[in-house]
């Protein structure tokens, strides 16, 4: 199904009985609705479940500008309003968690409950290797601009951006590369204390993308929050141990109707 949000065609699904409480699933960077299939199948037995492909992912249109996290958060809010989701539980994995943090911690939206799974949002300290890469890139950029001028230098600069960038950056098209830079450069730590909704944090203790230290910091800063770790699981902890994940989530959702 498709819905128009912020003048973009956005793909979504809805599944399950009509219930007072709805669940909205928000996927991670580079993923789409399909990454939540086993979660949707389970939760839709008891709840109306929605999931969307963020603009630039899955079957949704690309953003018509260089989106930032807040743009995605406002788009999600528009979806919630269009669908009249009065009581909604927000579930976000990785990038989806960023969107939820901005939506609730800055824009002031108050869902019934929040589940953050291996959530992004805390800007990591740069490693020595990353600092070296950044220094090399800045040197190449300055020299190329000086010798060739900005127009001719652009091709060389873009080449080295791709060479030195992360896999997520390399795999993105030009529009989404700009979006990616906007997203990863924003630290959302300041908004965590503003989240007043009961929040469950679920994390893989082997997550290398958003380390367990991020989870502990979120638990410390979000007033009403608790952390559950999944032993041996990585960044996609919910897929690494789907049975345990669903047991924890369904327990957290007890009392929602």
């Amino acid at each position: 199904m498709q819905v128009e949000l912020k003048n973009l065609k956005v793909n979504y699904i809805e599944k399950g009985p009509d219930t007072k409480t709805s669940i909205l699933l928000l996927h991670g960077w580079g993923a789409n609705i399909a990454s939540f299939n086993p979660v949707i199948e389970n939760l839709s037995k008891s709840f109306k479940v929605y999931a969307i492909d963020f603009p630039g992912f899955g079957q949704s249109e690309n953003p018509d500008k260089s989106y930032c996290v807040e743009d995605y958060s406002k788009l999600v809010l528009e979806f919630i309003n269009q669908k009249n989701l009065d009581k909604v539980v927000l579930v976000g994995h990785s990038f989806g968690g960023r969107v939820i943090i901005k939506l609730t911690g800055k824009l002031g939206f108050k869902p019934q409950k929040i589940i953050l799974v291996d959530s992004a949002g805390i800007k990591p300290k740069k490693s020595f290797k990353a600092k070296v890469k950044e220094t090399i890139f800045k040197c190449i950029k300055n020299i190329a601009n000086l010798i060739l001028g900005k127009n001719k230098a652009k091709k060389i600069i873009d080449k080295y951006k791709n060479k030195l960038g992360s896999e997520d950056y390399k795999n993105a098209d030009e529009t989404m590369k700009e979006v990616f830079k906007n997203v990863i450069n924003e630290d959302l730590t300041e908004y965590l204390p503003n989240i007043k909704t009961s929040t469950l944090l679920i994390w893989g203790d082997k997550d290398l993308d958003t380390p367990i230290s991020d989870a502990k910091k979120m638990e410390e800063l979000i007033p009403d929050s608790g952390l559950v770790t999944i032993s041996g699981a990585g960044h996609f902890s919910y897929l690494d141990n789907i049975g345990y994940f669903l047991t924890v989530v369904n327990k957290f959702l007890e009392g929602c109707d």
Side-chain angles (χ1 to χ4, degrees):
M1 291 182 281
Q2 285 192 333
V3 62
E4 187 169 302
L5 302 170
K6 304 297 181 185
N7 299 314
L8 297 173
K9 292 179 181 177
V10 174
N11 182 54
Y12 78 99
I13 63 171
E14 60 178 272
K15 187 173 183 178
D18 289 330
T19 48
K20 291 180 181 178
T21 298
S22 301
I23 298 173
L24 176 57
L25 303 170
L26 303 176
H27 64 77
W29 188 274
N32 54 51
I33 288 171
S35 65
F36 276 126
N37 279 344
V39 181
I40 294 168
E41 287 303 311
N42 180 275
L43 296 183
S44 63
K45 294 174 184 177
S46 304
F47 299 96
K48 175 74 79 175
V49 178
Y50 296 84
I52 68 172
D53 282 336
F54 283 125
F57 303 96
Q59 298 178 47
S60 292
E61 287 187 322
N62 267 18
D64 51 3
K65 63 176 183 176
S66 181
Y67 264 34
C68 61
V69 178
E70 190 161 326
D71 291 313
Y72 281 104
S73 298
K74 289 178 178 177
L75 182 138
V76 169
L77 183 58
E78 186 172 320
F79 180 83
I80 291 169
N81 290 334
Q82 274 200 29
K83 295 299 177 182
N84 296 312
L85 306 185
D86 183 40
K87 296 171 68 177
V88 60
V89 176
L90 297 178
V91 182
H93 172 246
S94 194
F95 171 64
R98 280 187 191 272
V99 174
I100 291 172
I101 291 169
K102 200 64 174 285
L103 176 61
T104 57
K106 182 182 179 184
L107 301 183
F109 178 72
K110 294 182 179 179
Q112 189 172 10
K113 290 186 176 182
I114 295 171
I115 302 175
L116 299 178
V117 187
D118 300 283
S119 176
I122 295 176
K123 191 173 181 178
K125 293 181 179 178
K126 290 181 182 177
S127 66
F128 176 75
K129 185 177 179 181
K131 289 178 180 177
V132 170
K133 281 185 176 182
E134 187 176 289
T135 301
I136 291 172
F137 174 71
K138 286 180 178 178
C139 288
I140 291 170
K141 182 179 179 180
N142 291 336
I143 292 169
N145 282 330
L146 183 64
I147 296 174
L148 302 174
K150 287 188 177 181
N151 291 333
K152 290 183 179 180
K154 188 177 185 301
K155 289 184 180 180
I156 294 175
I157 293 168
D158 289 344
K159 177 183 177 181
Y160 276 91
K161 275 184 182 178
N162 285 326
K163 187 175 181 180
L164 298 174
S166 68
E167 288 302 313
D168 283 333
Y169 182 83
K170 292 175 187 177
N171 294 333
D173 63 24
E174 290 307 309
T175 299
M176 294 307 293
K177 281 177 180 175
E178 292 302 312
V179 174
F180 181 73
K181 288 190 291 183
N182 291 342
V183 167
I184 65 167
N185 285 325
E186 185 173 7
D187 188 351
L188 304 182
T189 304
E190 65 177 297
Y191 304 117
L192 295 172
N194 299 335
I195 299 173
K196 306 305 181 184
T197 302
S198 181
T199 301
L200 172 64
L201 305 165
I202 303 179
W203 235 266
D205 66 353
K206 305 300 183 186
D207 189 341
L208 300 178
D209 295 300
T210 53
I212 194 69
S213 57
D214 287 3
K216 291 176 180 178
K217 189 169 185 178
M218 288 186 184
E219 183 183 28
E220 179 185 341
L221 293 175
I222 299 173
D224 181 12
S225 65
L227 171 63
V228 174
T229 58
I230 301 181
S231 179
H235 188 54
F236 283 80
S237 62
Y238 68 101
L239 294 178
D240 290 341
N241 193 336
I242 187 66
Y244 182 63
F245 173 82
L246 290 171
T247 297
V248 171
V249 167
N250 280 299
K251 183 68 177 176
F252 183 65
L253 294 178
E254 285 183 358
C256 298
D257 52 2

